[in-house]
Amino acid sequence: NAGVTQTPKFQVLKTGQSMTLQCAQDMNHNSMYWYRQDPGMGLRLIYYSASEGTTDKGEVPNGYNVSRLNKREFSLRLESAAPSQTSVYFCASTNPGGYEQYFGPGTRLTVT
Amino acid sequence: DQQVKQNSPSLSVQEGRISILNCDYTNSMFDYFLWYKKYPAEGPTFLISISSIKDKNEDGRFTVFLNKSAKHLSLHIVPSQPGDSAVYFCAAYRTGTASKLTFGTGTRLQVTL
């Protein structure tokens, strides 16, 4: 039981490049989330998926897109990376009707 | 508008003493409050939670207190240990919001020998 896994762990992009961050959970959770963590800003919600087939914007969605591929997988795409997207990205999931979220280990992204 | 605030970015406590981490919130509709612990290069892990209808919840060395009238909660760690050194995030949840959490900015706790 791996919990929530994220790939890659680290990534360096040039401004304008695109990439997809992958997230998968094996806990049969319905809801999945993408956060970014920046110094002094805490964890801010980018997008979430309450259930398979649905996605919604969070607090800071601009510059990102998501895909809920199936119940297990939720990916985050940066179409044209900007230096302001340099951050640590966390994926999380939760039980149906629950509030305790389980987090992956994070992806550290640097955009130069 | 920051609905969950942790006004102390850092805290240093001696081993064996009590650590008190504070959190304030503005939205009286929150139903649950959670504390997460985060080590460097790892994801946050759930530590303890409290329902809005309670004023205290205890789990071993960790106790969370909720003062609804003041919209304030605190996490007490007694006794503090070096392994408790981490960043602690306060989070709040409102029923019916797709299990979304609203996080504070975090407090870095350092437990010294």
Side-chain angles (χ1 to χ4, degrees):
Chain A
N1 188 340
V4 179
T5 56
Q6 292 183 236
T7 55
K9 282 189 165 47
F10 301 95
Q11 184 72 49
V12 179
L13 291 178
K14 292 189 187 319
T15 297
Q17 287 185 317
S18 63
M19 79 160 295
T20 300
L21 282 66
Q22 307 285 358
C23 173
Q25 52 89 13
D26 61 2
M27 296 175 282
N28 201 35
H29 288 168
N30 278 352
S31 302
M32 298 184 72
Y33 309 83
W34 275 106
Y35 293 90
R36 59 178 289 173
Q37 186 199 0
D38 302 293
M41 303 291 287
L43 289 152
R44 293 183 293 169
L45 183 64
I46 306 171
Y47 269 94
Y48 67 100
S49 171
S51 61
E52 188 178 352
T54 69
T55 60
D56 284 287
K57 294 178 181 179
E59 183 185 353
V60 288
N62 290 348
Y64 305 96
N65 283 302
V66 290
S67 295
R68 183 73 182 267
L69 305 169
N70 48 56
K71 190 171 186 179
R72 289 187 65 248
E73 299 172 287
F74 188 37
S75 63
L76 178 72
R77 183 159 178 84
L78 287 71
E79 290 291 350
S80 178
S84 60
Q85 295 178 304
T86 293
S87 188
V88 182
Y89 292 85
F90 291 101
C91 176
S93 67
T94 192
N95 285 322
Y99 53 84
E100 178 190 334
Q101 293 183 11
Y102 297 80
F103 283 80
T107 295
R108 184 173 293 274
L109 175 67
T110 301
V111 183
T112 61
Chain B
D1 175 32
Q2 198 171 357
Q3 298 187 66
V4 178
K5 300 177 187 178
Q6 293 176 258
N7 292 318
S8 298
S10 63
L11 175 67
S12 183
V13 172
Q14 277 190 321
E15 182 181 11
R17 306 292 289 265
I18 183 171
S19 295
I20 300 176
L21 293 89
N22 295 304
C23 178
D24 297 296
Y25 62 95
T26 57
N27 189 342
S28 59
M29 302 297 288
F30 288 132
D31 298 293
Y32 290 90
F33 300 91
L34 301 82
W35 286 93
Y36 278 81
K37 178 178 183 177
K38 185 186 177 306
Y39 291 120
E42 295 184 11
T45 55
F46 171 75
L47 190 57
I48 191 169
S49 64
I50 187 167
S51 164
S52 62
I53 63 172
K54 307 258 186 199
D55 54 20
K56 178 182 175 182
N57 187 27
E58 197 169 351
D59 183 1
R61 296 186 298 113
F62 302 92
T63 303
V64 57
F65 296 92
L66 176 62
N67 182 334
K68 283 189 73 174
S69 60
K71 293 192 176 68
H72 176 83
L73 64 153
S74 60
L75 174 68
H76 292 211
I77 306 173
V78 186
S80 300
Q81 298 174 354
D84 296 329
S85 297
V87 176
Y88 290 79
F89 290 100
C90 170
Y93 163 78
R94 179 179 170 182
T95 304
T97 59
S99 298
K100 289 188 292 182
L101 294 176
T102 301
F103 283 87
T105 52
T107 296
R108 182 177 301 278
L109 173 65
Q110 183 174 11
V111 180
T112 59
L113 297 173

